[in-house]
Amino acid sequence: MTKSTKPLVGIIMGSQSDWETMEHAAKTLDGLGIPHERRVLSAHRTPNQLFEYAASAESRGLEVIIAAAGGAAHLAGVTAAKTILPVLGVPMDSASLKGLDSLLSTVQMPAGIPVGTLAIGKAGATNAALLAAAILGNKHPAFREAIRNFRAAQAKKILTRPNPGSRRG
């Protein structure tokens, strides 16, 4: 895909338990050939480390950050406040409010500090990776082509069995 193995996308999450969801972003980026890194950083429990991560992201070569957004969604918002890179928030599903709290906290960022907000859970993590790829595709044509191939494969998968319940198409 690209000669660079330097991470272009950072995937961050507030706790190890978010990995079950954010793993889908990593797998999607892997499938597209996009180098990435992943870290557990908490806006509440490790704020200094988060500030350093976000503030140094651009100089380290990152071009997009995907942040898991828990109940208060501070990770995505604080990250966006500390960098000018695009930050994509993935609301985490929660036991108490099924991720609605995460979604609303992420989407309601104050004017001037944008966080691109995706769907709750696995779909959001997958789409965050695809959106990151589209952003990178503006600078890296190989990633744009990888998205074209991904979409063609999706269409082919559907079109091979368009008639539900039949053994053949």
Side-chain angles (χ1 to χ4, degrees), residues 40-139:
V40 174
L41 294 165
S42 170
H44 302 110
R45 295 179 296 274
T46 61
N48 294 337
Q49 291 82 358
L50 174 60
F51 289 179
E52 172 58 29
Y53 181 88
S56 69
E58 183 180 9
S59 66
R60 291 183 298 108
L62 293 183
E63 296 184 25
V64 180
I65 297 173
I66 299 172
H74 289 130
L75 184 62
V78 169
T79 301
K82 295 296 283 183
T83 184
I84 61 165
L85 296 177
V87 175
L88 307 177
V90 179
M92 295 292 100
D93 196 356
S94 61
S96 57
L97 297 173
K98 304 291 184 209
L100 189 56
D101 49 343
S102 306
L103 174 66
L104 294 174
S105 295
T106 308
V107 80
Q108 285 302 125
M109 288 298 298
I113 307 295
V115 172
T117 307
L118 286 297
I120 298 168
K122 176 184 173 182
T126 300
N127 284 339
L130 292 169
L131 185 54
I135 292 167
L136 292 171
N138 289 322
K139 180 179 175 184

Side-chain angles (χ1 to χ4, degrees), residues 1-2 8-9 24-36 66 125-137 140-153:
M1 225 21 80
T2 181
L8 297 175
V9 177
H24 298 286
K27 286 180 178 179
T28 302
L29 291 170
D30 285 339
L32 296 170
I34 297 174
H36 60 280
I66 299 172
T126 300
N127 284 339
L130 292 169
L131 185 54
I135 292 167
L136 292 171
H140 306 275
F143 300 141
R144 182 171 291 164
E145 196 57 34
I147 296 169
R148 283 189 220 289
N149 294 336
F150 175 86
R151 290 202 178 171

